[in-house]
């Protein structure tokens, strides 16, 4: 008698992940303030914003009534108020980076130009918020607060003017064309300054009443550079300038303003002091920009990832229904699945989805870290002030001295609780400066990494998403506005510093010993995850991290074929690709951590619990797909850098030193029979007549690179199972339930 | 003496209208496939009732609005992230099934019980609002039964407008045939008003109202009593989704008046 084993089909994704799942993944399930912001922003994005895009509102460089009305929608929908403190009408207590990231996500899901419009006012205010005096903070927050019913005042909106007509300004903040001079300075009175700035690509100029302007001193009575606030009613020229003829983000206003205005010196952001007859700004331009971009670059990265995930539903619907309406009959695979019958179409969509998940996970993690950084930075300032440590350099000295303790703290933190000195761990855990050092080390790498990876890879994958819609993809009618989103992604890669700026910053911050120590701990952590959940691809990623760490050590001491140092500031061919490789690793790691969070917390929510097993299984497969892609990129980049700077051996005396001569082999044959037949698999063989194999030269050798090759081979082997994961994810795409229609425009 | 109304709005949650709805039968009875996982919204008919209630409360001093809902509380919480930002209200939540296959009498009993338990509710000032119909299953019976259980005999269905007259009486417009309304006058509360669409637009989100409401909504959800509303003992002879009925005819060069006349004829027919 035979028995039949009936195995239930493995659970897989039943519906597209909803809000409940996202709230757990991105860690705001316990924040109803943020959940409400998501809903209100979504209503604006999928309502008025989407309608404007569908009506062709993007097809003009000019500022139109329709575009202008979106600001009213942002005000009414509570979007404008997100960055406000509760006393000015905001609803988010404390740091607001995660809140702003969620706003950016929801708006960019439909149109990133709308997201930019909304966020540009925040960017304008950011220098004031981060480095402004208390009076400046209060004044401009109050001015920007949306009007309450019956309130009669001019509501301010702002622009942030850094970029200038000169190429590369904004990249090298040491060169600023905007000038600041003393216009009047009467004895005992506040100096009046002349601001002279010509901006380029300045967002929100059509609605701006105030502009935060980057300027450099053009007067011996003013020291250095700073940012300063100008208003449209200041005496002088406040010319919004010509519209930028951009082909992307057309719902946002972008102009090249001409600003030539007299303002009181109290408008210098962060204030100033008079020292020896000089006006000395309390914060230089670099001080301000560092604080601002650390926070605002995150939202730009988030915007591109939102597009990728927004593409999933329209692409599935298009592929699934592609054959309907023609000769196909209902209830046949062709009718039901359309293009989804083809593995390639599904696999490519899996790639898009996996990239979107990774970018989103990383983006929101960075937003959370910046939120934490906001708090710990303030606490650090307080502690150092109490210790009498003043000035950036003194602070730096104090922090440097703490490095050993920071590393000790990390060792303890990542040790099993029962094996560590708990008292010492607690002591270090409670040390604000140590917490600051760790958070800063992470933030300094993560912020440029999220901007770099999310936007650059996002743009590439967005093209892939468009391609999956066939010819439909490049039309205005394409559901989800995918073609516009693809174009827009390119601008996001440029906003707030193009890719090169992010890579440059990472090349400096990623070799911080604290960050390197963290990476080593993360490798162990990933191995632990892999032991429990091998299907995440965590082991693959851990090996890729190990390879990257080895390579960065190697390159910091290694030299090229001509004896030139490899890891130097100027050698961007070395440092920049390593920054790219690191970004792949960081995004993949966070994607895995988020899915683990969902697996752990999901059962507590009955809504999520319903299909949790399938959702986690699917998202885990995406992790594996992405980890494989990341490790592939890391392996490729590292191999190029390790081998690429060695000169290939030639068929000359030096190159042939390691080759066998046919004569030698003949002689050896009597001692080692059969050597002649295997010699060419070990090295190259030079014939008796001096001829050699037809190729570039003797094969390159791996002297001193055994560890690298060991890791590299291991890395390739660690790809085991990744394609099976892709197949599973791709199968899920055929079965996942999607809504009847896209929910925008509404 | 207080003259304001105590307005209780009964409102269920339903799957977002764009979602794919597929009835399935399981051990617990009938349900929609993956219903727990689908995004939900407040029943659109009941939403109109809520907006009208808030408007009435704003215009009649000393009035207050409660929203009474029966549904899986985790899903209700998600819905509240939007609805809480619309108008001020206090939530009374019951944690139970809300899938459109439950029995109207059972649901009504649970709702009536919850309303009876609202602290400070003055039933002599009670206006019971709700949807005339439901987007989950258009039986249109629940609200009437709740009213009956609460002993409210003045019931109005298909309401589009309520006007409070100088003498405190309510002028109520109910939908009747052909786009006309029946005008009634009700001298005072209590009364049941099953709303059609009303006249008010959906209010814009107001995050301040949202934060205010959430202070009470979150505790209300936490203490929402588990309420058993089963479907297993109900036998449905047949369940099917409404068929889409679309009859499109493309015409050219037809005057607007002609098109209007044809539509009117169709409506009359």
């Amino acid at each position: 008698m035979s028995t039949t084993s009936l195995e239930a089909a493995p659970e897989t994704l039943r519906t597209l992940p909803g809000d409940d799942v996202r709230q757990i993944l991105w860690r705001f399930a316990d924040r109803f303030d943020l959940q409400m912001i998501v809903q209100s922003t979504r209503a604006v994005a999928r309502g008025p914003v989407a309608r404007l895009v569908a009506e062709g509102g993007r097809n003009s460089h000019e500022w139109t009534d329709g575009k202008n009305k979106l600001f009213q929608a942002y005000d009414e929908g509570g979007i404008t108020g997100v960055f406000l403190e509760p006393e000015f009408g905001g609803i988010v207590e404390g740091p607001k980076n995660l809140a702003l990231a969620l706003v950016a996500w929801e708006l960019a899901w439909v149109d990133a130009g709308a997201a930019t419009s909304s966020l540009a006012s925040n960017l304008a205010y950011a220098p004031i918020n981060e480095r402004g005096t208390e009076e400046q903070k209060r004044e401009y927050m109050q001015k920007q607060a949306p009007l309450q019913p019956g309130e009669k005042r001019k509501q301010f909106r702002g622009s942030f003017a850094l970029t200038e007509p000169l190429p590369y300004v904004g990249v090298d903040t040491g060169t600023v064309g905007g000038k600041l001079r003393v216009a009047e300075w009467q004895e005992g009175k506040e100096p009046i300054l002349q601001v002279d700035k010509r901006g380029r690509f300045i967002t929100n100029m059509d609605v701006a009443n105030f502009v935060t302007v980057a300027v450099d001193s053009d007067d011996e009575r003013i020291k250095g550079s700073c940012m300063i606030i100008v208003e449209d009613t200041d005496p002088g020229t406040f010319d919004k300038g010509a519209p930028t003829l951009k082909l992307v983000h057309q719902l946002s206003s972008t102009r090249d303003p001409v600003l030539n205005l007299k303002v009181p010196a109290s408008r210098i952001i962060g204030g100033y002091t008079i020292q020896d007859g000089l006006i000395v700004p309390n914060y230089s331009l670099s001080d301000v920009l560092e604080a601002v971009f650390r926070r605002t670059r995150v939202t730009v990265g988030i915007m591109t990832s939102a597009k990728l995930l927004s593409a999933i539903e329209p692409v599935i619907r298009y592929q699934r229904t592609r054959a309907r309406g023609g000769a196909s009959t209902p209830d046949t695979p062709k009718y039901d699945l359309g293009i989804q019958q083809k593995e390639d179409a599904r696999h490519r969509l899996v790639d898009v989805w996996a990239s979107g998940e990774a970018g989103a996970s990383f983006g929101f993690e960075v937003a959370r870290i910046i939120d934490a950084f906001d708090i710990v930075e303030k606490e650090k300032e307080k502690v150092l002030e109490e210790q009498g440590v003043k000035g950036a350099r003194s602070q730096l000295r104090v922090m440097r001295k703490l490095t050993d303790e920071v590393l000790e703290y990390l060792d303890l933190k990542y040790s099993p609780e029962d094996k560590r000195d708990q008292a010492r761990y607690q002591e270090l855990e409670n040390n604000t400066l140590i917490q600051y050092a760790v958070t800063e080390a992470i933030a300094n790498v993560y912020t440029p990494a999220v901007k770099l990876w999310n936007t650059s890879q996002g743009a590439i994958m967005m093209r892939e998403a468009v391609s999956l819609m066939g010819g439909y993809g490049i039309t205005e009618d394409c559901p989800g506005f995918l073609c516009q989103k693809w174009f827009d992604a390119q601008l996001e890669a440029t906003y707030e510093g193009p890719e090169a700026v992010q890579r440059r910053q990472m090349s400096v911050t990623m070799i911080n010993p604290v960050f390197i120590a963290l990476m080593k701990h993360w490798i162990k952590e990933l191995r632990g995850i892999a032991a429990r959940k091998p299907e995440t691809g965590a082991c693959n990623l851990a090996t890729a991290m190990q390879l990257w760490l080895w390579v960065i050590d190697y390159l910091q001491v290694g030299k090229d074929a001509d004896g030139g140092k490899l890891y130097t500031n100027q050698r961007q061919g070395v440092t920049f690709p390593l920054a790219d490789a690191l970004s792949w690793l960081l995004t993949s790691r966070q994607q895995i951590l988020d899915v683990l969070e969902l697996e752990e917390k999901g059962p507590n929510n009955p809504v999520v619990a319903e299909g949790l097993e399938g959702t986690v299984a699917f998202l885990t497969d995406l992790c594996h797909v992405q980890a494989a892609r990341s490790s592939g990129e890391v392996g490729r980049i590292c191999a190029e850098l390790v081998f690429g700077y060695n000169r290939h051996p030639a068929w000359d005396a030096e190159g042939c030193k390691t080759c066998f001569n046919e004569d030698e082999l003949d002689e050896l044959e009597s001692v080692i029979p059969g050597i002649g037949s295997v010699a060419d698999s070990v090295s190259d063989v030079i014939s008796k007549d001096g001829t050699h194999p037809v190729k570039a030269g003797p094969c390159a050798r791996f002297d001193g690179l055994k560890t690298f090759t060991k890791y590299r081979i291991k890395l390739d082997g660690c790809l085991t199972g990744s394609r099976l994961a892709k197949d599973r994810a791709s199968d899920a795409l055929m079965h996942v339930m999607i809504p009847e229609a896209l929910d925008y425009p509404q | 003496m207080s003259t304001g109304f105590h307005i209780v709005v009964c409102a269920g949650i339903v799957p977002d209208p764009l979602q794919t709805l597929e009835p399935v039968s399981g051990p617990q009875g009938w349900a929609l496939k993956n219903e727990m996982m689908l995004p939900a919204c407040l029943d659109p008919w009941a939403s109109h009732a809520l907006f009208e209630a808030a408007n009435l409360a704003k215009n009649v001093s000393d009035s207050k609005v409660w929203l009474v809902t029966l549904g899986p509380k985790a899903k209700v919480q998600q819905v509240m992230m939007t609805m809480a930002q619309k108008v001020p209200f206090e939530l009374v939540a019951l944690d139970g099934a809300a899938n459109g296959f439950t029995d109207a009498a059972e649901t009504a009993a649970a709702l009536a019980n919850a309303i009876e338990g609202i602290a400070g509710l003055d039933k002599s000032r009670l206006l019971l609002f709700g949807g005339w119909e439901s987007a989950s299953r258009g039986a249109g019976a629940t609200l009437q039964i709740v009213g009956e259980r609460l002993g409210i005999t003045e019931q109005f269905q298909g309401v589009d407008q309520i006007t409070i007259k100088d003498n405190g009486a309510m002028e109520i417009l109910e939908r009747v045939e052909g786009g006309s309304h029946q005008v009634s006058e009700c001298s005072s509360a209590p009364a049941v008003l099953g709303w059609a669409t009303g006249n008010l637009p959906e209010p814009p989100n107001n995050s301040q109202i949202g934060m205010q409401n959430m202070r009470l909504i979150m505790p209300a959800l936490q203490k929402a009593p588990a309420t058993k509303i089963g479907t297993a003992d109900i036998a449905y002879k047949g369940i099917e989704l409404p068929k889409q009925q679309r009859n499109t005819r493309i015409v050219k060069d037809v005057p607007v008046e002609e098109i209007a006349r044809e539509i009117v004829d169709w409506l009359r027919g």
Side-chain angles (χ1 to χ4, degrees):
Chain A
M1 179 184 153
S2 64
T3 55
T4 308
S5 148
L6 291 174
E7 285 184 16
E11 268 279 349
T12 188
L13 189 69
R14 295 196 208 163
T15 63
L16 299 177
D19 284 331
D20 325 73
V21 172
R22 295 294 177 201
Q23 286 159 12
I24 296 173
L25 283 171
W26 302 335
R27 327 291 166 91
F28 64 104
D30 56 348
R31 294 278 307 270
F32 62 75
D33 53 344
L34 300 187
Q35 292 172 30
M36 284 200 298
I37 286 168
V38 165
Q39 295 304 328
S40 356
T41 311
R42 187 174 296 168
V44 173
R46 302 184 194 193
V49 171
R51 286 199 296 273
L52 187 59
V53 176
E55 287 162 6
R58 289 175 56 116
N59 302 343
S60 159
H61 302 299
E62 297 300 330
W63 192 240
T64 61
D65 188 43
K67 296 177 189 178
N68 201 49
K69 276 185 179 156
L70 289 183
F71 280 89
Q72 192 184 338
Y74 303 150
D75 292 346
E76 288 175 358
I79 299 172
T80 311
V82 170
F83 79 100
L84 297 174
E85 293 299 332
E87 60 181 302
F88 296 105
I91 63 166
V92 181
E93 299 259 10
K96 296 164 184 62
N97 300 290
L98 180 56
L100 292 170
L102 289 165
V103 167
W105 177 271
E106 286 299 331
L107 287 171
W109 187 275
V110 175
D111 187 90
T116 301
S117 282
S118 155
L119 296 170
S121 272
N122 306 340
L123 179 60
Y125 179 72
I128 304 171
N129 193 48
E130 300 307 326
R131 294 289 177 254
T133 63
E134 286 308 311
E135 293 76 22
Q136 287 169 343
K137 285 182 195 176
R138 289 189 69 80
E139 179 182 352
Y140 285 93
M141 192 169 274
Q142 210 153 28
K143 284 179 169 174
Q144 289 187 88
L147 302 182
Q148 295 303 308
E151 198 179 5
K152 285 181 183 165
R153 65 173 162 83
K154 184 166 83 172
Q155 184 187 343
F156 271 46
R157 301 190 198 279
S159 283
F160 174 88
L162 171 64
T163 316
E164 298 173 338
L166 297 171
Y168 304 119
V169 172
V171 172
D172 180 0
T173 52
T175 314
V176 176
K179 296 303 175 199
L180 189 65
R181 289 183 282 275
V182 175
E184 298 168 36
W185 194 350
Q186 293 177 20
E187 185 69 31
K189 289 193 174 173
E190 180 169 50
I192 302 296
L193 306 178
Q194 184 76 38
V195 178
D196 184 6
K197 174 87 173 182
R198 295 191 63 167
R200 185 154 171 78
F201 300 147
I202 305 302
T203 308
N204 267 8
M205 278 312 300
D206 278 286
V207 294
N209 318 100
F210 78 98
V211 185
T212 44
V213 180
V215 283
D216 204 1
S217 169
D218 189 31
D219 193 313
E220 57 187 12
R221 290 168 292 175
I222 305 171
K223 189 179 175 190
S225 61
C226 67
M227 288 204 85
I228 192 162
I229 308 161
V230 301
E231 294 185 10
D232 57 351
T233 51
D234 290 328
T237 305
F238 187 99
D239 184 343
K240 295 176 190 296
T244 306
L245 305 182
K246 60 183 168 34
L247 297 169
V248 295
H249 280 220
Q250 288 100 326
L251 291 193
S252 71
S253 146
T254 313
R255 287 178 175 266
D256 298 349
V258 178
L259 307 167
N260 195 324
L261 299 148
K262 282 190 174 66
V263 300
S266 59
R267 297 270 191 83
I268 292 174
I269 292 176
Y272 65 97
T273 54
I274 306 289
Q275 296 174 20
D276 302 328
L278 288 184
I279 298 170
V280 182
N282 291 339
Y283 293 101
S284 70
L285 175 59
S286 298
D287 293 336
V288 178
L289 293 184
E290 187 192 346
V292 168
F293 285 153
R294 176 177 275 148
R295 291 157 175 87
T296 54
R297 280 178 176 152
V298 182
T299 43
V300 183
I302 286 281
M303 282 157 65
T304 319
S305 299
K307 297 169 202 293
L308 290 182
L309 290 189
S310 80
I312 304 301
E313 185 190 323
V315 171
I316 292 178
R317 185 175 295 106
Y318 167 78
Q319 291 184 334
R320 218 174 256 180
T321 58
R322 184 67 178 85
R324 293 178 199 173
S328 66
T329 14
D331 297 326
T332 60
K334 186 177 179 184
Y335 183 92
D336 289 339
L337 293 172
I339 299 173
Q340 280 204 320
Q341 288 181 102
K342 309 294 179 194
E343 185 178 83
D344 177 68
R346 302 194 308 270
H347 272 195
R348 288 177 186 279
L349 186 57
V350 165
D351 286 336
V352 173
W353 198 333
S355 295
E357 293 289 345
S361 281
F362 190 47
F364 287 115
E365 163 68 357
V366 184
R368 295 191 298 270
I369 283 174
I370 300 299
D371 271 354
F373 183 81
D374 276 357
I375 295 169
V376 78
E377 188 186 34
K378 285 187 178 80
E379 290 172 356
K380 177 225 38 169
E381 292 294 332
K382 208 171 147 190
V383 169
L384 290 178
E385 198 183 322
E386 282 165 9
Q387 292 178 3
V389 181
K390 287 180 183 169
R393 286 189 178 176
S394 308
Q395 286 198 1
L396 204 58
R397 274 197 295 275
V398 171
M399 294 307 297
R400 272 193 189 143
K401 282 182 191 165
L402 283 173
T403 304
D404 286 345
E405 279 184 291
V406 176
L407 297 178
E408 182 193 352
Y409 164 71
L410 292 177
D411 282 343
L412 291 168
K413 181 181 164 75
Y414 286 95
S415 299
E417 276 187 41
D418 56 346
K419 288 184 182 165
R420 70 182 173 204
D421 179 345
Q422 195 62 25
R424 177 65 175 155
Y425 169 69
Q426 212 54 57
E427 181 191 345
L428 296 173
E429 171 88 2
N430 295 337
N431 185 322
T432 300
L433 297 184
I434 285 177
Q435 294 308 316
Y436 173 78
V438 174
T439 316
E440 190 198 31
I442 297 173
N444 282 348
V445 176
Y446 274 27
T447 308
V450 74
K451 171 72 170 58
L452 171 64
W453 193 89
N454 285 32
T455 59
S456 58
Q457 282 307 312
I460 291 167
M461 295 313 289
M462 201 56 225
R463 194 213 68 82
E464 189 78 11
V466 170
S467 77
L468 293 174
M469 299 287 274
Y472 201 13
I474 49 92
T475 66
E476 279 188 357
D477 301 332
C478 176
F481 314 131
L482 299 192
C483 196
Q484 292 96 321
K485 286 174 181 170
W486 168 36
F487 280 9
D488 285 353
Q490 183 52 45
L491 180 54
E492 285 134 39
T494 305
Y495 266 155
E496 299 195 28
E499 285 124 307
V501 174
Q502 316 308 326
R503 291 180 178 121
R504 172 79 186 96
Q505 189 180 336
M506 287 182 73
S507 68
V508 175
T509 57
M510 68 191 181
I511 52 174
N512 177 345
V514 176
F515 185 75
I516 294 289
L518 276 164
M519 289 275 288
K520 289 175 182 166
H521 291 299
W522 291 342
I523 290 171
K524 285 184 202 157
E525 183 189 54
L526 283 169
R527 297 274 187 227
I529 293 168
R532 285 182 284 122
K533 281 186 75 74
E535 60 276 24
T536 52
C539 223
N540 192 357
L541 202 61
T543 306
M545 275 193 183
Q546 218 162 13
L547 185 81
W548 185 89
L549 276 175
W550 187 91
V551 170
I552 201 163
D553 275 349
Y554 171 81
L555 293 174
Q556 283 183 86
V557 293
K559 292 183 177 170
D560 67 14
D562 298 321
K565 283 186 176 176
L566 288 171
Y567 200 100
T568 66
N569 280 343
Q570 300 307 317
R571 202 132 201 194
Q572 297 170 347
V574 175
T575 56
F576 283 19
L578 270 180
D580 286 327
L582 178 60
S583 307
W584 280 95
L585 294 171
L586 298 177
T587 47
S588 257
R589 173 178 172 267
Q590 191 56 46
Q591 186 183 7
I592 292 171
L593 295 181
D594 278 6
V595 174
L596 294 180
E597 175 82 2
L598 178 66
E599 189 176 37
E600 185 192 334
K601 305 275 171 66
N604 301 333
N605 181 327
V607 176
V608 177
E610 168 109 349
L612 184 64
E613 190 185 339
T615 306
V616 168
F618 175 77
L619 293 177
T620 303
D621 285 335
L622 290 190
C623 287
H624 205 156
V625 168
Q626 191 63 21
R629 181 78 205 285
S630 299
S631 65
E633 287 294 322
V634 172
R636 178 185 63 76
I637 290 169
C638 289
E640 271 191 47
L641 294 176
V642 167
F643 292 108
Y645 284 101
N646 295 334
R647 186 159 290 116
H648 198 289
W651 295 114
D652 55 17
E654 181 65 24
C656 292
K657 266 185 187 170
T658 56
C659 300
F660 290 114
N661 282 315
E662 211 172 356
D663 292 338
E664 289 169 357
L665 290 174
D666 287 347
E667 286 172 20
L668 284 170
E669 191 66 33
S670 58
V671 187
I672 312 169
I675 188 170
S677 59
V678 296
D680 60 354
S681 65
V682 178
S683 182
D684 293 290
V685 180
I686 309 292
S687 307
K688 289 175 186 168
D689 61 0
T691 57
H692 51 72
V694 183
K695 56 190 182 124
C699 281
R701 297 182 61 83
F702 305 149
D703 297 337
L705 298 174
K706 268 188 182 171
T707 312
F708 177 81
T709 51
K710 187 184 83 181
Y711 284 149
R712 186 75 216 270
I713 290 166
K714 188 176 173 187
L715 184 67
D716 287 353
C718 285
L719 292 170
T720 304
S722 61
R723 281 275 154 172
L724 295 174
K726 193 170 212 173
D727 279 349
R728 284 193 298 271
S730 129
D731 286 348
L733 295 185
M734 289 191 288
H735 305 294
V736 65
M737 202 163 100
I738 61 169
E740 297 284 348
L742 200 61
D743 66 350
Y744 62 94
Q746 288 174 358
Chain B
M1 183 185 153
S2 183
T3 54
F5 295 111
H6 279 184
I7 311 168
V8 173
V9 181
C10 294
I13 57 170
V14 294
D16 178 276
L18 289 176
Q19 296 301 320
T20 305
L21 306 180
E22 189 181 330
V24 287
S25 177
Q28 306 299 318
W30 281 90
L32 291 174
K33 187 177 177 184
N34 299 327
E35 185 168 356
M36 276 295 270
M37 300 169 71
L38 300 177
C41 62
L42 201 70
D43 194 317
W45 302 93
S47 297
H48 295 302
L50 177 64
F51 305 149
E52 293 285 349
N55 185 54
L56 183 60
K58 193 172 80 179
N59 293 322
V60 179
S61 62
D62 200 25
S63 295
K64 183 173 177 179
V65 178
W66 286 268
L67 179 71
V68 181
T69 187
L70 189 159
K73 66 177 178 184
K75 286 209 83 66
V76 172
Q77 183 176 327
Q78 292 296 329
V79 173
M80 286 302 121
M81 295 307 154
T82 301
M83 294 314 294
Q85 299 190 65
K86 299 293 181 190
V87 293
F89 61 82
E90 193 173 314
L91 180 73
V92 177
L94 302 174
D95 185 18
N99 62 10
F101 295 102
T102 48
D103 178 53
E106 276 189 43
T107 304
L111 292 175
N113 195 34
I115 293 167
E116 295 275 16
I118 294 175
L121 182 74
D122 181 350
K123 280 171 70 176
S124 69
R125 296 157 65 192
L126 175 61
L127 292 183
L128 184 67
F129 279 25
W132 172 34
E133 296 210 43
S134 163
S136 65
R137 189 161 59 94
T142 309
L143 191 67
Q144 294 176 43
I145 304 173
V146 175
E148 292 291 337
R149 282 181 164 271
L150 294 172
I152 306 171
T153 51
E154 299 299 335
Q155 299 212 3
F156 305 87
Q157 297 296 335
V159 177
D160 267 338
Q161 189 172 304
I162 178 170
T163 309
I164 308 301
K165 302 180 89 170
D166 292 342
N167 62 0
M170 297 172 281
E171 184 185 87
I172 296 165
L173 269 60
E174 289 171 281
R175 284 188 185 181
V176 288
E177 293 292 313
S180 301
H181 285 100
Q182 170 177 291
V183 183
S184 307
E185 189 169 307
C186 181
S187 60
S188 68
V192 173
L193 278 77
W195 284 85
T197 57
N199 293 318
L200 299 174
E202 181 174 332
N205 289 327
N206 183 321
S207 52
Q208 295 296 335
I209 291 176
M211 288 303 281
Q212 226 166 14
N213 279 338
M214 290 309 287
R215 285 190 196 107
L216 295 173
I217 287 174
M218 293 310 284
L221 285 167
Q222 275 159 14
K223 66 181 182 194
T227 307
K228 192 174 179 324
I229 302 292
T231 59
D233 52 349
I234 303 173
Y236 288 91
K237 287 189 174 170
I239 287 175
E240 63 181 26
L241 291 175
K243 297 228 172 7
Q244 281 191 359
Q245 290 188 351
R246 181 178 291 175
N247 193 357
T248 307
R249 189 158 56 89
I250 298 170
V251 292
K252 289 180 180 174
D253 305 327
V254 177
V256 174
E257 293 77 13
E258 182 67 15
I259 294 171
R261 190 190 55 74
E262 199 175 323
I263 292 171
V264 170
D265 287 348
W266 181 82
L267 286 171
R268 285 182 174 151

